[in-house]
């Protein structure tokens, strides 16, 4: 590969002095906290093991995620735009594959009633996680040089782009992952200059349709909503059944106090309280049990650092595609974090959603680190000289 080709691949005007290092640093810190929290939740001190098997696998997932982030950050992000639609079509094909009834159960094994994973032998692959990245890339590509989204009717094509993956994911059913797409879309639209009054109208229409959709929910989905109401009211009537996971997570969170429990005490308490999914969806409860309120605040602070680095990168970027990609990735991580933490403290129904970087899971770890790589890629390429302001529609309309 000659020098010109290499420079074309990676870009001509690069910088390593940028805000995305904050995002990378926070990602590493959150990942390491997650590794320790998974060990606390899955290994007793007298087990005789140096670390649990899940921790070993999580470290492998972290290494793969770091490698993927590096591979994504190396080429210019505009080259990645060229594969946005092909990746989306592939992920949609995989989502359809999951729903085919004749697919053998050893290949697609339902978990908690959801057909969301493909068995690849040593690991399971969750196409809906990769679909989040493809969705951000496709919507960012669609909006980069358009202004039609500033009209109410102009939002219809974007709604169609969103409806297809969200509909397929809901059919699995996986309402937790599907819920990430809506705030991600709204954040991208806001960054692209969509009018707030139109977005508010869409929200009001959606809110009005919620009561009509309730009868269509499956019994276990209705139980989760009713369970949330019971938890918020402090009603422990179903504490050994429907609301067991919520009340157990809240109990362990409160037991951590301000500064947390000792390592051995926390391991024993988490294990013998039998918190379901303590290494996965409910890992935040483990973190707060071990490190207390201060530890929980520190984890949330790391997410704020992550968001600050990403949003600063978006603000500096003048490339429309790059800016929207960063905003979309930030919104996806933020929405997932807020929902997961809400699940752990009884403010949101338990919908089976991981805590980014911290929870156990290969597909989740790969996805968030690819998003980190995309943000780093945008930050490393300096804004083009003499480029016009991006998405400054109000200024253009006044001129």
């Amino acid at each position: 590969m000659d020098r010109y080709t290499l420079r074309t691949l990676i870009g001509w005007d690069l910088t390593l002095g940028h805000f995305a290092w904050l995002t990378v640093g926070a990602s590493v810190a959150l990942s390491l906290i997650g590794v320790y929290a998974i060990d606390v939740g899955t290994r007793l001190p007298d087990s005789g093991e140096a670390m649990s098997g899940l921790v070993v696998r999580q470290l492998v997932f972290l290494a793969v995620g770091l490698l993927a982030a590096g591979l994504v950050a190396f080429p210019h992000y505009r080259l990645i735009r060229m594969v946005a639609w092909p990746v989306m079509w592939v992920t949609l094909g995989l989502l359809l594959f999951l729903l085919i009834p004749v697919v053998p159960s050893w290949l697609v094994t339902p978990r908690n009633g959801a057909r969301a994973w493909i068995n690849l032998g040593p690991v399971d692959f969750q196409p809906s996680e990769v679909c989040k990245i493809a969705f951000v890339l496709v919507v960012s590509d669609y909006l980069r040089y358009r202004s039609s989204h500033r009209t109410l009717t102009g939002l219809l094509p974007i709604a169609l782009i969103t409806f297809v993956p969200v509909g397929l994911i809901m059919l699995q059913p996986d309402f937790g992952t599907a819920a990430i797409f809506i705030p991600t879309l709204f954040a991208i639209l806001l960054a692209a200059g969509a009018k707030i009054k139109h977005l508010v109208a869409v929200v009001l229409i959606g809110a009005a349709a919620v009561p009509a959709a309730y009868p269509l929910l499956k019994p276990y989905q209705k139980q989760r909503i009713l369970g949330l109401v019971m938890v918020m009211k402090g009603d422990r009537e179903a504490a050994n059944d429907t609301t067991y996971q919520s009340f157990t997570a809240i109990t362990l969170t409160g037991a951590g106090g301000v500064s947390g429990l000792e390592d051995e005490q926390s391991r024993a308490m988490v294990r013998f309280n039998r918190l379901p999914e303590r290494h996965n969806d409910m890992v935040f409860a483990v973190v707060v049990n071990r490190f207390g309120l201060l530890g929980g605040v520190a984890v949330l602070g790391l997410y704020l650092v992550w968001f600050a680095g990403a949003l600063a990168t978006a603000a500096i970027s003048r490339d429309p595609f790059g800016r929207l990609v960063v905003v979309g990735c930030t919104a996806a991580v933020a929405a997932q974090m807020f929902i997961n933490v809400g699940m752990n403290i009884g403010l949101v129904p338990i919908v089976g959603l991981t805590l980014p970087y911290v929870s156990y899971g290969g597909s989740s770890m790969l996805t968030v680190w690819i998003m980190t790589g995309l943000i780093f890629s945008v930050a490393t390429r300096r804004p083009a000289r003499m480029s016009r302001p991006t998405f400054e529609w109000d200024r253009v309309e006044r001129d």
Side-chain angles (χ1 to χ4, degrees), residues 1 29 33 39 45 69 129 139 208 211 256 275 289 325 340 356 370 374 379 392 396:
M1 182 181 296
I33 290 172
D39 189 61
E129 286 288 336
V139 174
L275 174 65
N289 182 265
V325 166
N340 181 275
I370 289 177
L374 287 170
E392 298 291 342
V396 172

Side-chain angles (χ1 to χ4, degrees), residues 1 34 42 74 100 136 179 189 297:
M1 182 181 296
T42 57
F74 178 76
I100 300 175
V136 169
L189 286 172
V297 171

Side-chain angles (χ1 to χ4, degrees), residues 56-399:
V56 175
R57 292 169 66 89
Q58 185 74 349
L59 288 171
V60 173
F61 296 152
L62 175 56
V64 172
L66 288 168
L67 176 61
L71 293 175
V72 169
F74 178 76
H76 199 294
Y77 60 87
R78 292 178 184 171
L79 298 178
I80 297 175
R81 182 181 64 82
M82 300 171 61
V83 301
W85 284 98
V87 171
M88 174 59 89
W89 287 117
V90 170
T91 55
L92 291 179
L94 292 174
L95 292 175
L96 282 170
F97 175 78
L98 289 169
L99 301 176
I100 300 175
V102 296
V103 175
S105 59
W106 62 265
L107 184 58
V108 177
T109 305
R111 296 181 183 176
N112 299 323
R115 297 173 61 89
W117 293 268
I118 299 175
N119 183 7
L120 300 180
V123 296
D124 293 327
F125 174 63
Q126 190 174 4
S128 58
E129 286 288 336
V130 179
C131 191
K132 290 188 292 190
I133 300 174
F135 174 75
V136 169
L137 294 175
V138 163
V139 174
S140 300
D141 178 54
Y142 179 84
L143 292 173
R144 64 192 181 103
Y145 290 130
R146 295 178 187 267
S147 60
S148 57
H149 58 281
R150 288 179 57 77
T151 66
L152 195 57
T153 55
L155 294 175
L156 293 178
I158 308 170
L160 179 61
I161 295 173
T162 308
F163 174 78
V164 175
V166 170
L168 291 174
I169 293 171
M170 291 182 69
L171 288 174
Q172 293 178 357
D174 183 359
F175 285 84
T177 302
I180 301 299
F181 286 75
I182 306 305
T184 301
L185 174 64
F186 272 54
I188 294 176
L189 286 172
L190 282 174
K195 294 183 178 179
I196 297 178
K197 63 181 181 180
H198 294 157
L199 299 181
V200 171
V202 172
V203 171
L204 293 176
I205 293 172
V210 169
Y214 182 80
L216 302 177
L217 297 178
K218 295 183 178 181
Y220 77 91
Q221 294 166 342
K222 294 180 181 179
Q223 286 182 353
R224 288 180 177 178
I225 296 176
L226 295 175
L228 174 64
V229 175
M230 296 176 70
V231 169
M232 296 183 73
K233 292 169 58 178
D235 185 352
R236 303 185 66 90
E237 181 180 349
N240 293 322
D241 185 18
T242 306
T243 59
Y244 173 77
Q245 189 172 15
S246 293
F247 274 118
T248 304
I250 293 171
T251 299
L252 290 173
T253 300
V258 176
S259 57
L261 305 177
E262 295 294 330
D263 181 88
E264 292 187 9
Q265 186 180 3
S266 181
R267 290 176 188 271
M269 177 170 285
V270 171
R271 173 65 67 89
F272 293 116
N273 274 275
R274 298 176 181 173
L275 174 65
E277 302 295 335
R278 54 187 175 270
H279 63 293
N280 199 341
D281 303 343
M282 314 309 288
V283 72
F284 185 73
V286 178
V287 172
V288 179
N289 182 265
R290 173 64 182 88
F291 297 107
L293 175 63
L294 296 178
V297 171
V299 168
L300 297 180
L302 285 172
Y303 281 111
L304 291 179
V305 172
W306 196 102
F307 301 145
L311 292 177
T313 299
I316 292 173
S317 176
R318 292 189 177 182
D319 178 74
F321 176 73
R323 175 179 291 186
L324 295 185
V325 166
V326 174
V327 170
C329 291
T330 304
V333 172
Q336 189 163 333
M337 183 272 289
F338 279 114
I339 292 175
N340 181 275
V341 172
M343 285 165 40
N344 278 259
I345 60 177
L347 296 179
V348 175
I350 295 177
V351 291
L353 205 60
T354 58
L355 184 60
Y357 299 99
V358 183
S359 292
Y360 173 83
S363 297
S364 176
M365 183 68 80
L366 179 65
T367 298
V368 292
W369 271 105
I370 289 177
M371 289 182 174
T372 303
L374 287 170
I375 294 170
F376 193 88
S377 178
V378 174
T380 303
R381 278 79 192 181
R382 288 190 176 94
R385 295 182 177 89
M386 304 301 291
S387 58
R388 67 177 179 83
T390 302
F391 300 122
E392 298 291 342
W393 302 115
D394 294 334
R395 181 183 302 176
V396 172
E397 290 168 358
R398 286 197 302 269
D399 295 341

